[in-house]
């Protein structure tokens, strides 16, 4: 409809321009008309997009529709291509969500019409004129400087604005204007200007707030008066905990001026506050240490790597490069770094060494088992997820059975394929696994036993014959039982579900236990990847290695985040930095 | 000269909105164009280059004035700097934030300042400050409104005085004007009736450990409101506050809010559990997590509502409780009747009691679920699944029964 309308509108214009073109009577005007219309329409179409918000909306709708149509094709393609990333591999969650939903990212963001910020310093008269034209809720000078900060306009323009404001208000410039101006100065790295503003602020105000302090710290570290930045940090500390960004700036400043001791003590302070440093902080340390022959310093850098390991942090690509160059620059030790990936067996393609296994040590295992029992299943109130009677029944059941090889989440598996009957798909999975001579346990809820169109009795009987079964109450949660049964059976036992178990992970008390749980989950979860129920069910191969920073003394393997891939919190990077000594 | 200039500017500023209101539409585009055109010429104009050097001098002038004006203030600054009290530092920080236009209150009491200091994280500090800011703003707005109202009242009274002075006419009335009091007395009577013969409705007050002070305050507000709705109803419930520990958090807040009326409230408060007061099989615990859907309001049951505002999302708290005591549970049939859009299915206590009161009096779900906030759903189901099922079943029955019925009739006719 939009189309028609615009084309009609363009008619009168056509006539006038037609005359203007002065076409001869012999030429076919119809062909011209058509071409002209088409062109005009297209132009109109595009201009509409930027002008009115309503049209943008309809456009978005159209693109969304188009995407929707395209989605069908993509879905078909997906079925054909069997190569899919690992369940926990970086970016795979995004891919999965794109399969099921049309991605929202492609949707055009409605571009807000931006005000043209002056590019040259204006005179007072010009500012006054601008102000007269301005209409809005905020004060003119505040609004315009916000726009200038957003557009990163030059410092001189802001200066002329401040001069005008000062002239208006008998030489006083408001604090918020000063802070915004400071923000511009810091952005453009105008150190002298930053120092000027610092002097003014120090003189005018007793104390500063965190925003200005942050900006001042960031601005001052490049100057000779960088030590005052550390004093500002002290000021922040009086009232609240400084941010990791503040610490990062101060550490960068200290390293910039060759004061490594101060940088390390600040780093220690940062850790003491239990803040997690920014990756840039690590990078600064590695960059600074390049080519240095200092054992103490090198040891501290290795401590950083261990910190990354213990907290399961992964460096970004730039930090990985810094780490690599630092290792290669150590005098006397001939390190060689390579960016590689791993084989599925867990062998590094760069050096052929095997990466650490994802098996937990026995203490870790016991600890995790206890925690799952205490926090996930019990959680302070046994009635929340189950009942004490049921828990007792389950514990007795597990005790009387010999250890299982595979524990199956019956409901999750059954609901996997929406087109097949629930009991049928459960039976498929169970019978396929039982052919491998594995001891199976199927967990479910009691309603699965009630014969219905979805749960056929004969199929459930066959499931019961092939595997041991435990059916929880309908209002109980079955996942905690799954976790406990798997953990109880021992390290060899795996579990089948496509549930990522994020809610149960969240029940665990601290990050350390959570990462332990995640490590265990990676090594023991069998996710189903096959889409076609007719064919055999295909499981995601279990990662036999643990994705974490690790060393064998003469080699380091460091997983890192690719810049291109967006990784979810529960996924692990797929790229590795392999470092080893030349022999 | 400069004086006249500023005067001109201010007058222009005054004029601008006036014109705008007159013909907003037509002016809008022209002003916009002017706005843009006023910036662009500053770029290419060639004669600007010559005027730049004097401007350059002007650019740093403000700094000098800023710095120089400072020396006068310095004395006060130094005196304040001596004591390095974290409380004072926090106060200053908040003051600076206010200058920045952040959402912080203007006036902060010592007590509030201490609460801020005790906040464990930066974001919680900011959240609390924002709360104070909003509260302060609301207070101010209320104050202004009050003053305006007082003014209007004053004016009206003066007018009336004039009027009465004019015509001093006697009028005949049947009643003295005592409506509010009479209403209260009538409600009191009804309340007493309910205490004797009313259906019990229990508020379970055993969740004080799971709530933070703010949530507790919200709970109490909702309880107050629920009690008010109940009092005004034709046929009130007999409200029970069960598990109400004397000097517990609930009790303290309730006494604080009700004041001396607390002891005259027409409801039962007890430290006992509802399990001790009523037979177990007549109790139905209402919770949104329940798998059982409430189909109709039963007049012989005791419904229990957990007085619990849960902002922290403890899922299944009340269901766990009902499970522990082995009670029947039910939830409102929200999905059956409403097209749910957003929000949790947990309703506030006052909404809950209004729904229950409406159900008790009319028995109609459509009527009762009007009290569900409109923002949470898009409308009622066209034909609810329930009734559609019923219709289908009836249809089936009819087709089955047709034949035998007809044959019967024919038999009797013969």
């Amino acid at each position: 409809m939009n189309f028609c309308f615009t084309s009609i509108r363009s008619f009168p214009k056509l006539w006038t321009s037609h005359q203007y073109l002065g076409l001869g009577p012999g030429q076919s005007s119809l062909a011209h008309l058509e071409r002209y219309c088409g062109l005009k329409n297209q132009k109109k179409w595009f201009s509409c997009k930027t002008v009115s918000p309503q049209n943008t909306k309809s456009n978005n709708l159209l693109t969304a529709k188009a995407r929707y149509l395209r989605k069908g094709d993509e879905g078909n393609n997906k079925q054909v291509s069997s190569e899919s990333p690992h369940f926990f591999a970086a970016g795979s969650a995004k891919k999965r969500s794109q399969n099921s939903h049309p991605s929202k990212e492609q949707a055009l963001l409605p571009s807000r019409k931006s005000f043209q910020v002056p590019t040259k310093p204006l005179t007072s008269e010009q500012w006054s004129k601008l102000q007269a034209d301005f209409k809005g809720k905020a004060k003119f000078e505040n609004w315009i400087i916000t726009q200038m900060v957003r557009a990163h306009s030059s410092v001189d323009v802001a200066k002329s604005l401040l001069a005008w404001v000062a002239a208006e208000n008998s030489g006083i410039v408001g604090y918020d204007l000063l802070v915004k101006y400071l923000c511009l100065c810091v952005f453009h790295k105008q150190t002298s200007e930053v120092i000027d503003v610092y002097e003014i602020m120090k003189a005018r105000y007793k104390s500063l707030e965190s925003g200005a302090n942050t900006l001042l710290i960031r601005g001052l570290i490049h100057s000779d008066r960088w030590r005052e930045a550390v004093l500002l940090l002290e000021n922040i500390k009086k009232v609240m905990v400084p941010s990791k960004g503040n610490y990062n700036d101060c550490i960068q400043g200290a390293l910039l001026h060759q004061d490594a001791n101060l940088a390390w003590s600040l780093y220690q302070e940062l850790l003491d506050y239990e803040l997690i440093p920014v990756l840039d902080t690590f990078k600064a340390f590695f960059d600074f240490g390049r080519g240095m022959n200092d054992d103490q310093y090198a040891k501290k850098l290795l401590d950083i790597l261990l910190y990354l390991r213990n907290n399961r942090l992964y460096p970004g690509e730039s930090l990985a490069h810094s780490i690599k160059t630092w290792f290669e620059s150590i005098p006397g030790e001939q390190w060689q770094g390579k960016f590689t990936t791993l084989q599925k067996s867990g062998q590094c393609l760069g050096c052929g060494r095997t990466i650490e296994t994802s098996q937990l040590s026995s203490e870790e295992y016991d600890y995790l088992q206890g925690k799952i029992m205490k926090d996930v299943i019990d959680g302070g109130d046994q009635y929340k997820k189950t009942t004490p009677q049921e828990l007792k029944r389950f514990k007795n059941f597990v005790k009387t059975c010999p250890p299982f090889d595979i524990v199956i989440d019956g409901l999750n598996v059954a609901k996997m394929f929406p087109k097949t009957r629930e009991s049928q798909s459960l039976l498929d999975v169970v019978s396929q696994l039982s052919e491998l001579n594995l001891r199976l346990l199927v967990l479910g809820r009691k309603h699965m036993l009630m014969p219905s169109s979805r749960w056929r009795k004969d199929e459930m009987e066959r499931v019961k014959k092939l595997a041991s079964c435990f059916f929880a109450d309908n209002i109980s949660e079955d996942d905690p039982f799954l976790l406990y049964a798997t953990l109880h059976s021992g390290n060899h036992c795996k579990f089948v579900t496509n549930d990522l178990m994020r809610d149960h992970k969240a029940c665990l008390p601290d990050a350390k236990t959570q990462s332990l749980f995640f490590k265990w989950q990676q090594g023991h979860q069998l996710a189903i990847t096959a889409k076609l129920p007719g064919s055999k069910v295909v499981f995601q191969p279990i990662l036999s290695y643990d994705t974490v920073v690790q060393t064998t003394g003469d080699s380091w393997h460091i997983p890192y985040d690719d810049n291109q891939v967006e990784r979810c919190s529960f996924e692990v990077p797929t790229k590795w930095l392999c470092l080893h000594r030349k022999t | 000269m400069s004086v006249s200039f500023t005067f001109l500017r201010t007058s222009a500023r005054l004029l601008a909105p006036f014109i705008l209101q007159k013909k907003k539409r037509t002016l809008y585009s022209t002003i916009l164009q002017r706005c843009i055109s006023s910036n662009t010429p500053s770029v290419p104009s060639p004669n600007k280059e010559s005027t730049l050097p004097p401007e350059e001098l002007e650019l740093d002038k403000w700094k000098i004035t800023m710095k120089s004006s400072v020396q006068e203030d310095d004395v006060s600054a130094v005196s304040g700097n001596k004591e390095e009290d974290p409380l004072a530092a926090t106060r200053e920080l908040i003051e600076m934030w206010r200058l920045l236009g952040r959402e912080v209150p203007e006036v902060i009491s010592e007590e509030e300042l201490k609460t801020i200091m005790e906040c464990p994280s930066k974001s919680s500090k900011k959240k609390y400050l924002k709360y104070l800011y909003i509260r302060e703003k609301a207070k101010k707005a209320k104050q202004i409104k009050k003053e305006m109202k007082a003014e209007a009242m004053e004016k009206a009274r003066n007018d009336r005085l004039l009027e009465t002075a004019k015509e001093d006419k006697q009028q005949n009335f049947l009643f003295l004007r005592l409506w509010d009091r009479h209403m209260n007395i009538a409600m009191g009577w009804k309340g007493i009736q309910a205490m004797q013969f009313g259906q019990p409705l229990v508020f379970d007050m055993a969740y004080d450990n799971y709530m933070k002070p703010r949530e507790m305050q919200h709970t109490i507000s909702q309880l107050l409101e629920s009690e008010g709705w109940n009092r005004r109803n034709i046929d009130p419930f007999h409200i029970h506050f069960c598990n109400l520990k004397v000097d517990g958090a609930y009790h303290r807040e309730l006494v604080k809010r009700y004041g001396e009326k607390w002891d005259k409230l027409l409801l039962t408060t007890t430290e006992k559990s509802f399990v001790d007061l009523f037979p177990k099989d007549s109790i139905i615990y209402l919770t949104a997590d329940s798998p059982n859907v409430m189909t109709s309001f039963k007049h012989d049951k005791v419904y229990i509502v957990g007085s619990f505002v849960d902002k922290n999302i403890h899922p299944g708290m009340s269901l766990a409780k009902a499970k522990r005591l082995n009670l029947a549970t039910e939830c409102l049939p929200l999905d059956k009747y409403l097209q749910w859009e957003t929000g949790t299915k947990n309703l506030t206590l006052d909404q809950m009691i209004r729904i229950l009161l409406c159900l008790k009096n009319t028995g109609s779900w459509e009527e009762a679920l009007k009290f569900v906030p409109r923002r949470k759903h898009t409308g009622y189901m066209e034909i609810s699944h329930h009734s559609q099922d019923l219709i289908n079943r009836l249809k089936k029955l009819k087709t089955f029964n047709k034949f035998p019925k007809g044959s019967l009739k024919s038999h009797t006719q013969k």
Side-chain angles (χ1 to χ4, degrees):
Chain A
M1 208 211 89
N2 219 332
F3 236 85
C4 297
F5 190 69
T6 49
S7 71
I8 286 166
R9 235 198 320 186
S10 65
F11 264 103
K13 273 190 191 164
L14 173 85
W15 281 120
T16 53
S17 58
H18 201 247
Q19 278 165 354
Y20 177 74
L21 282 169
L23 284 172
Q27 280 171 300
S28 84
S29 58
L30 203 80
H32 251 274
L33 190 143
E34 267 178 13
R35 209 192 319 157
Y36 192 80
C37 267
L39 266 176
K40 195 79 195 166
N41 276 342
Q42 267 189 341
K43 262 186 193 162
K44 272 265 151 78
W45 187 245
F46 283 115
S47 62
C48 276
K49 229 184 227 170
T50 48
V51 176
S52 78
Q54 258 192 335
N55 273 337
T56 0
K57 207 179 255 176
S58 65
N59 266 346
N60 280 350
L61 254 176
L62 274 176
T63 47
K65 221 178 227 174
R67 225 178 297 127
Y68 193 73
L69 288 175
R70 224 181 306 134
K71 197 198 90 194
D73 304 337
E74 271 174 32
N76 286 338
N77 290 342
K78 273 275 130 57
Q79 283 188 350
V80 176
S81 65
S82 58
E83 197 57 46
S84 64
H86 191 268
F87 207 55
F88 295 112
S92 61
K94 202 171 168 194
K95 256 179 209 154
R96 284 198 297 272
S97 72
Q98 273 168 350
N99 281 350
S100 50
H101 303 286
S103 71
K104 282 184 186 113
E105 260 155 274
Q106 285 170 14
L108 291 163
L109 281 167
S111 58
R112 198 184 282 177
K113 187 171 53 53
S114 61
F115 170 76
Q116 199 77 44
V117 177
T119 49
K120 283 255 169 90
L122 304 184
T123 59
S124 310
E125 287 79 30
Q126 282 168 323
W127 280 120
S128 307
K129 200 172 150 235
L130 255 186
Q131 187 189 24
D133 290 340
F134 168 76
K135 54 208 163 357
K137 272 189 210 158
K139 265 163 83 182
F140 169 73
E141 55 262 31
N142 291 351
W143 177 77
I144 190 95
I145 203 161
T146 313
Q147 297 299 321
M148 280 155 66
V149 169
R150 202 171 287 163
H152 306 309
S153 43
S154 80
V155 172
D156 282 341
V157 185
K159 231 189 240 177
S160 78
L161 175 72
L162 289 200
W164 170 68
V165 171
E168 289 267 288
N169 302 330
S170 62
I172 307 284
V173 178
Y175 178 70
D176 45 349
L177 283 185
L178 270 182
V179 171
K180 293 266 167 61
Y181 175 66
L182 184 62
C183 183
L184 269 180
C185 294
V186 170
F187 179 81
H188 288 293
K189 300 230 161 71
Q190 302 263 329
T191 310
S192 63
E193 212 46 43
V194 169
I195 289 176
D196 267 1
V197 177
Y198 175 49
E199 287 299 331
I200 290 172
M201 285 188 158
K202 218 164 59 171
R204 201 146 242 301
Y205 303 103
K206 257 193 284 179
S207 68
L208 300 176
E209 48 75 54
S210 49
N213 275 330
T214 305
L215 284 169
L216 281 176
I217 289 172
R218 190 160 297 162
L220 284 176
I221 54 164
H222 299 288
S223 72
D224 297 336
R225 298 171 62 179
W226 64 276
R227 279 193 190 274
E228 289 180 50
V230 184
L231 288 181
L232 286 173
L233 188 75
E234 290 295 321
N235 273 344
I236 297 182
K237 253 189 266 172
K238 266 183 222 159
V239 186
M240 53 166 72
V241 178
S243 71
K244 45 191 174 184
N246 294 148
Y247 273 109
N248 178 37
D249 288 335
C250 283
I251 289 171
Q252 300 255 13
L255 289 178
L256 213 65
H257 297 90
Q258 312 293 324
D259 192 345
N261 286 336
L262 177 63
W264 284 114
S265 68
L266 283 171
Y267 175 72
Q268 195 51 47
E269 216 173 280
L270 171 64
L271 293 187
D272 289 343
Y273 272 124
E274 286 183 4
L275 293 169
I276 293 171
V278 197
L279 290 182
D280 283 346
T281 313
F282 299 132
K283 186 171 151 47
F285 279 123
F286 277 102
D287 285 344
F288 184 74
R290 199 173 294 163
M292 199 190 270
N293 198 0
D294 181 350
D295 283 347
Q296 276 307 92
Y297 195 93
K299 196 180 160 292
K300 278 176 176 165
L301 286 184
L302 294 183
D303 278 347
I304 285 186
L305 288 179
L306 286 181
Y307 176 82
L308 291 176
R309 174 189 169 83
N310 290 337
N311 291 284
R312 293 197 155 250
L313 294 173
Y314 305 114
E317 206 171 321
S318 60
L319 174 54
H321 278 283
S322 295
I323 293 172
K324 178 168 174 272
T325 38
W326 175 74
F327 267 105
E328 283 169 348
S329 77
I330 301 175
E333 305 179 18
Q334 287 186 315
W335 286 90
Q336 194 180 28
K338 251 188 236 161
F339 293 109
T340 58
T341 49
L342 296 189
Q343 276 180 326
K344 273 183 182 151
S345 57
Q347 269 191 330
C348 171
L349 284 176
C351 59
R353 285 189 183 82
T354 317
I355 300 298
E356 274 179 46
T357 69
S358 58
Q359 303 294 336
L360 305 189
S361 69
S362 65
E363 307 116 63
E364 283 176 329
Y365 196 89
D366 290 343
Y367 174 77
L368 183 66
Q369 193 177 357
K371 279 285 176 195
I372 293 259
M373 193 67 216
K374 189 171 151 278
D375 293 315
V376 179
I377 302 179
D378 191 312
D381 185 357
Q382 292 186 344
Y383 285 94
K384 256 190 175 177
K385 295 194 168 152
T386 168
T387 56
Q389 295 88 359
E390 190 173 55
L391 202 58
K392 210 169 156 193
R393 184 164 71 92
F394 177 71
K395 276 186 179 167
N396 281 337
F397 168 79
V398 173
K399 235 179 257 167
T400 51
C401 294
F404 298 103
D405 297 316
I406 287 186
V407 182
I408 299 167
D409 183 351
L411 277 170
N412 189 288
V413 167
K415 304 269 182 199
M416 198 78 233
F417 318 108
K419 278 178 190 156
T420 27
R421 200 184 322 115
E422 270 85 341
S423 54
Q424 174 71 52
S425 37
L426 177 60
L427 181 63
D428 283 348
V429 173
V430 170
S431 54
Q432 187 191 327
L433 285 172
S434 67
E435 275 165 26
L436 302 171
N437 241 347
L438 296 169
R439 284 195 51 83
L440 305 178
L441 168 63
V442 175
L443 285 168
R445 294 213 181 101
K446 277 182 179 154
H447 71 78
M448 293 159 73
L449 293 174
M450 299 290 287
S452 68
S453 60
R454 321 197 127 257
W455 299 98
R456 287 246 302 263
K457 201 177 175 189
D458 54 327
E459 281 166 347
M460 287 313 286
E461 284 302 324
R462 281 171 61 196
V463 167
K464 273 190 196 168
K465 257 179 213 153
L466 292 171
S468 320
C469 296
F470 182 84
F471 295 98
D473 289 341
N474 291 338
I475 50 171
S476 297
E477 287 195 40
D478 50 357
D479 291 344
F481 290 126
L482 174 88
L483 296 178
Y484 182 75
T486 316
L487 279 167
H488 185 86
S489 299
N491 217 342
H492 68 285
C493 183
K494 312 269 189 291
F495 62 98
V496 181
T497 181
N498 275 27
D499 195 332
L500 287 164
M501 307 268 172
R502 280 173 288 182
D503 46 344
H504 305 299
K505 195 164 80 178
C507 290
L508 294 169
D510 52 294
K512 203 125 206 185
T513 323
Q514 283 181 7
S515 72
L516 204 61
F517 175 75
F518 183 60
K519 187 177 168 185
W520 173 78
Q521 186 190 3
Q522 264 184 295
H524 292 84
Q525 179 162 9
L526 287 164
I528 296 175
T529 53
K531 303 273 184 221
L532 296 168
S535 71
K536 265 194 155 185
V537 176
V538 181
F539 293 102
Q540 177 77 56
I542 278 181
L543 283 180
S544 57
Y545 56 88
D546 186 19
T547 309
V548 73
V549 176
Q550 51 195 280
T551 180
T552 58
D554 62 343
S555 81
W556 278 90
H557 285 90
I558 300 166
Y560 69 94
D561 279 320
D562 202 342
N563 280 346
Q564 262 95 50
V565 181
E566 232 180 284
R567 184 170 61 86
C568 279
S569 59
F570 57 86
E571 294 170 343
V572 292
T574 51
K575 304 237 171 142
W576 289 75
L577 166 62
C578 159
L579 291 157
H580 55 265
R581 279 193 186 171
K582 266 185 238 163
T583 44
Chain B
M1 202 213 92
S2 66
V3 174
S4 68
F5 186 75
T6 49
F7 171 72
L8 259 178
R9 195 179 305 125
T10 46
S11 68
R13 224 180 296 162
L14 279 173
L15 271 177
F18 182 65
I19 297 165
L20 265 181
Q21 274 178 348
K22 254 184 164 177
K23 28 182 177 179
K24 227 183 237 168
R25 281 282 160 74
T26 47
L27 263 183
Y28 182 72
S29 57
T30 56
I31 283 180
L32 244 182
Q33 277 171 357
R34 218 196 306 160
C35 213
I36 293 161
S37 62
S38 66
N39 310 320
T40 39
S42 70
V43 185
S45 61
N47 58 342
K48 195 105 282 177
E49 303 300 316
S50 56
T51 55
L52 260 181
E55 234 181 284
E56 208 69 57
L57 279 178
E58 252 178 63
L59 283 184
D60 286 333
K61 215 166 145 195
W62 60 276
K63 286 187 192 162
I64 301 156
T65 55
M66 284 290 279
K67 276 182 204 169
S68 61
S69 67
V70 161
Q71 256 96 48
E72 297 145 31
D73 296 335
D74 245 2
V75 192
S76 64
V78 168
S79 64
N81 253 359
K82 274 176 190 167
E83 335 157 20
E84 294 214 336
D85 186 19
L87 271 181
T90 314
R91 200 180 272 278
E92 270 165 26
L93 174 79
I94 290 163
E95 187 52 33
M96 294 316 274
W97 269 347
R98 207 172 63 78
L99 282 181
L100 256 191
R102 295 263 192 101
E103 290 170 323
V104 293
E106 229 170 287
V107 190
I108 300 178
S109 68
E110 243 1 77
E111 204 175 313
E112 283 160 355
L113 212 55
K114 260 177 207 146
T115 325
I116 293 167
M117 298 286 294
E118 277 160 19
C119 285
S121 69
K122 226 180 280 180
S123 61
S124 66
K125 269 179 198 160
K126 279 180 190 165
K127 237 183 223 169
Y128 185 67
L129 279 171
K130 191 179 175 185
Y131 160 72
L132 289 178
Y133 166 75
I134 289 171
R135 210 180 59 175
E136 190 178 61
K137 235 169 99 177
K139 240 183 202 170
K140 263 186 200 161
K142 217 174 172 183
Q143 188 64 33
I144 289 169
K145 220 174 175 182
K146 209 173 161 189
E147 275 162 18
M148 270 167 56
K149 224 176 178 178
E151 234 170 72
M153 286 278 274
E154 187 77 10
K155 210 177 158 196
R157 199 190 298 152
N158 285 343
D159 288 351
R160 218 183 302 135
L161 271 177
L162 281 176
E163 243 172 67
T164 45
K166 261 186 225 163
E167 35 179 326
D168 199 4
K169 203 173 74 181
Q170 279 223 320
Q171 283 175 299
N172 282 322
F173 292 108
L174 185 55
F175 300 115
L176 277 177
R177 209 168 135 162
L178 291 166
W179 299 333
D180 276 2
R181 208 163 67 92
H182 283 269
M183 292 282 272
N184 284 339
I185 291 169
M187 283 195 260
W189 272 104
K190 253 187 328 188
I192 290 168
Q193 298 276 322
M195 289 277 281
Q196 291 173 358
F197 313 112
Q199 182 179 357
L201 179 75
V202 177
F203 284 99
D204 178 14
M205 322 283 248
Y207 297 96
D208 35 2
N209 293 335
Y210 305 111
M211 284 191 281
K212 289 187 182 140
R214 284 275 288 287
E215 292 169 326
M216 178 57 89
Q217 280 172 16
H218 290 190
T219 311
I220 299 301
S221 302
Q222 289 179 16
L223 277 176
L224 255 65
E225 203 166 326
S226 325
E227 190 268 331
W229 282 113
N230 185 55
R231 201 185 330 155
R232 263 164 267 159
N233 200 270
I234 292 179
D235 183 17
F237 283 111
H238 175 197
I239 292 184
H240 288 70
F241 286 168
C242 287
N243 296 323
L244 179 70
K245 277 170 231 101
V246 174
D247 292 328
Y250 279 107
H251 190 262
R252 240 179 298 128
E253 287 282 328
L254 276 170
V255 171
K256 197 169 119 197
R257 296 287 284 274
Y258 269 113
E260 52 191 37
K261 264 209 81 184
W262 172 245
D263 291 325
K264 295 176 193 157
L265 277 183
L266 297 169
L267 42 80
T268 309
T269 59
T270 167
E271 289 200 349
K272 278 193 221 158
S273 170
F274 38 82
V275 193
D276 306 326
L277 295 180
F278 306 104
K280 241 184 182 180
D281 49 350
S282 72
I283 292 176
I284 295 177
Y285 208 112
L286 293 173
T287 160
D289 298 320
S290 169
N292 312 317
V293 180
M294 187 171 172
T295 51
S296 63
F297 183 85
K298 291 167 201 87
H299 294 268
D300 55 341
K301 296 280 185 190
V302 179
Y303 287 99
I304 296 171
V305 181
S307 42
F308 181 25
V309 172
D310 179 16
K311 293 227 167 124
N312 265 1
I313 313 163
H314 302 282
M317 189 68 83
S318 48
L319 185 66
K321 176 150 196 188
K323 256 159 89 181
R324 185 177 308 121
L325 297 170
N326 207 4
L327 299 172
T329 58
E330 275 182 7
C331 66
L332 293 181
L334 298 174
D335 277 329
K336 203 154 104 184
Y337 290 93
L338 301 174
Q339 288 167 334
W340 203 260
E341 270 278 291
T342 51
T344 56
K345 306 249 161 94
N346 296 335
L347 301 178
T348 58
L349 301 178
D350 53 299
Q351 283 156 14
M352 210 57 208
I353 200 169
R354 286 166 84 182
I355 288 170
L356 289 176
L357 282 167
C358 188
L359 279 179
K360 189 171 163 215
N361 296 337
T362 64
S364 143
W365 279 108
E366 275 83 2
E367 200 63 29
L369 293 182
K370 271 186 188 156
F371 300 113
V372 177
R374 195 60 192 75
R375 65 170 189 283
K376 287 193 175 181
H377 63 92
T378 53
Y380 285 88
M381 289 283 179
E382 302 282 293
I383 306 168
S384 66
H385 293 307
H386 174 70
S387 50
Q388 201 159 30
D389 277 358
L390 205 81
I391 289 166
N392 287 343
R393 218 174 298 152
L394 279 178
K395 268 184 193 163
K396 262 183 199 169
L397 274 177
K398 258 182 202 163
T399 47
F400 277 122
N401 288 351
K402 223 175 214 166
F403 188 65
K405 249 186 193 170
S407 55
L408 239 174
K409 263 182 195 169
S410 59
H411 270 290
T412 47
Q413 270 170 1
K414 274 177 187 176

